[in-house]
Amino acid sequence: MVKKILTYPNKKLNEVSKDVAEFNEELHNHLRDMKDTLDSTQGVGLASIQIGVPLNVLIIKHEGVFIEAINPVIMACSGKQTSFEGCLSIPNVNSGVERALKIHVEYYDRNGKVKYCNCDDRLSVIWQHETEHLKGGLYIDNLSKTKRKKLESIYKKANK
Ligand code: CO
């Protein structure tokens, strides 16, 4: 079922998510809702908190590949890149953000099997953006004061 995506400045987006303890039908239903919701947008990733559920769950759609990640942790990162980012919870604006270039992330799949992903470039940015949501963060938290002020004023005008 397509769920409503919470938008900035909804305080719920700052909540720190908790680990999933049981890989059961409830989780699978939740993953289906998240997929339906992401598929209803042009987005490339969605964190559970964006539909109001503070669980460490995220999904990514990258080059036709669909990733479901439960309790993901970025174990290592290196290098730097500046990426252009937007967020379904901050519609109609975007900004350049400095991120790590390469990451190693570990997570569980929907059945509780351990998985990992080594990646760089765009996919690495999506992982970093989505895992930030799980900690209650947003990509705009990484901007300088001046850049953020500017973006917030554009955001207000764009979403009147
Ligand atoms: Co986002």
Side-chain angles (χ1 to χ4, degrees):
M1 197 198 297
V2 175
K3 299 285 184 177
K4 187 180 181 309
I5 297 176
L6 305 181
T7 55
Y8 180 75
N10 190 315
K11 287 273 175 268
K12 184 93 182 167
L13 290 167
N14 300 119
E15 202 170 311
V16 178
S17 292
K18 293 197 166 66
D19 272 352
V20 169
E22 290 190 65
F23 296 79
N24 54 17
E25 199 184 333
E26 197 184 332
L27 172 68
H28 297 174
N29 289 337
H30 182 52
L31 284 164
R32 194 174 54 225
D33 286 344
M34 286 179 67
K35 185 174 188 288
D36 290 346
T37 306
L38 183 60
D39 276 340
S40 75
T41 73
Q42 299 291 316
V44 292
L46 185 76
S48 181
I49 192 65
Q50 290 180 277
I51 57 167
V53 182
L55 285 174
N56 286 327
V57 178
L58 62 85
I59 59 173
I60 290 172
K61 206 156 74 173
H62 180 71
E63 291 175 351
V65 179
F66 197 77
I67 302 166
E68 295 175 342
I70 321 299
N71 305 344
V73 178
I74 295 178
M75 307 296 283
C77 50
S78 63
K80 269 184 194 173
Q81 63 178 319
T82 300
S83 70
F84 214 53
E85 294 183 35
C87 179
L88 293 171
S89 292
I90 316 173
N92 304 316
V93 292
N94 42 43
S95 182
V97 183
E98 193 171 280
R99 298 283 190 189
L101 177 61
K102 292 184 184 184
I103 61 157
H104 172 79
V105 55
E106 292 189 7
Y107 60 99
Y108 294 89
D109 73 5
R110 58 163 56 216
N111 300 310
K113 187 172 179 250
V114 180
K115 300 274 208 176
Y116 67 89
C117 176
N118 286 304
C119 57
D120 56 15
D121 297 332
R122 197 66 201 156
L123 182 54
S124 154
V125 169
I126 302 171
W127 275 107
Q128 291 173 75
H129 178 114
E130 298 310 330
T131 51
E132 193 167 46
H133 275 298
L134 304 180
K135 296 186 176 82
L138 294 166
Y139 81 90
I140 56 173
D141 299 337
N142 301 301
L143 302 178
S144 70
K145 258 189 182 163
T146 326
K147 271 193 180 171
R148 180 164 177 156
K149 242 186 171 172
K150 207 168 161 187
L151 185 136
E152 295 221 15
S153 102
I154 299 168
Y155 178 70
K156 272 181 202 145
K157 280 180 201 146
N159 297 285
K160 254 180 193 164

